[in-house]
Amino acid sequence: MFKGEPQIEQVNNLVVIHLPTQFRNQLDIGDYPYPFWHSSKKWNSYQQSTELLLFLEQGKLKGAQRSAVVDPQRPKVNHAWDGKWIWSDVHGKQPSVTLYTRLFSPSNPHIAKVDAAYRAFEVKLRQNACVVCHSPDNASKQNPLLILNYPNQALSLRHETVRQIKEKRMPPPAGIFDDQERQQLIELAQTFAQAGDQALAYEGEKITSGKN
């Protein structure tokens, strides 16, 4: 959450906005995108984070990241990781925020289509070992980490995924060797991207072709 007044800094051709933050570390564990306390270092870095940095160039947002400035005196909450990225409890599938129920309004007629398209796409992703790299444990040390095994995060990458498969950039170094297999994955990725566009457009989000 944000508190305090933002500070603005000019660094060469960039405008840097410093937003003071306080990490909400007392939420139910299903309310986080994934259990990033699997790494105590990562979890503590969030808990001790002091600000979010926004980078603007010529009036356009170019990127955002947490500041390296931390406060080790901030209150900590400890969680023990049980080795599960996804689990179920009395409230249903968790983490709940990785699903579409909180992303779209109940009246959205495209939710079922998005969900079905993602599930078909995700099966093919697993067959080609894509989620080995694009998972929270970040086995390939991506920076930034792009997650595909959670529905809502895959949704934000829907057009970028299509582009990278088409250009044989995923998986590295030269994409999927079997052209027929690659074409099937492209078609599933496109179906998912199109369904996502329809669902987000219903919510009033402006959709630009070929971009997230």
Side-chain angles (χ1 to χ4, degrees), residues 5-9 11 16-20 51-54 67:
E5 293 296 323
Q7 300 294 321
I8 299 177
E9 176 187 12
V11 180
V16 183
I17 302 177
H18 299 251
L19 297 175
E51 60 181 7
L52 181 69
L53 305 179
L54 304 179
S67 169

Side-chain angles (χ1 to χ4, degrees), residues 25-26 29 37 40 43-44 47 75-81:
N25 59 0
Q26 298 184 47
I29 60 173
W37 47 89
S40 59
W43 176 241
N44 287 333
Q47 296 191 92
K76 294 182 180 180
V77 172
N78 293 320
H79 289 306
W81 189 50

Side-chain angles (χ1 to χ4, degrees), residues 6 22 30 46 58-59 76 101 106 137 143 148 150 170 174 179-180 204:
Q22 177 71 50
Y46 275 95
Q58 298 181 351
K76 294 182 180 180
T101 51
D137 54 347
N143 186 17
L148 293 177
Y150 287 152
M170 190 175 81
D179 285 340
Q180 183 176 358

Side-chain angles (χ1 to χ4, degrees), residues 148-207:
L148 293 177
N149 70 328
Y150 287 152
N152 63 348
Q153 297 204 25
L155 185 66
S156 69
L157 300 170
R158 61 194 184 281
H159 294 297
E160 178 64 15
T161 305
V162 173
R163 183 182 70 83
Q164 292 205 17
I165 299 172
K166 280 185 173 181
E167 296 178 358
K168 298 185 177 182
R169 298 181 61 188
M170 190 175 81
I176 298 173
F177 177 76
D178 187 314
D179 285 340
Q180 183 176 358
E181 183 75 9
R182 184 168 63 87
Q183 185 58 40
Q184 289 178 358
L185 189 56
I186 290 172
E187 291 173 0
L188 289 169
Q190 289 175 327
T191 299
F192 175 56
Q194 291 166 1
D197 284 351
Q198 292 172 342
L200 290 168
Y202 179 87
E203 301 294 337
E205 181 169 324
K206 184 178 181 181
I207 304 298

Side-chain angles (χ1 to χ4, degrees), residues 19-32:
L19 297 175
T21 61
Q22 177 71 50
F23 182 67
R24 300 173 67 192
N25 59 0
Q26 298 184 47
L27 299 176
D28 291 337
I29 60 173
D31 289 336
Y32 295 100

Side-chain angles (χ1 to χ4, degrees), residues 63-76:
Q65 66 180 40
R66 285 184 294 123
S67 169
V69 178
V70 298
D71 178 8
Q73 300 304 315
R74 293 201 169 184
K76 294 182 180 180

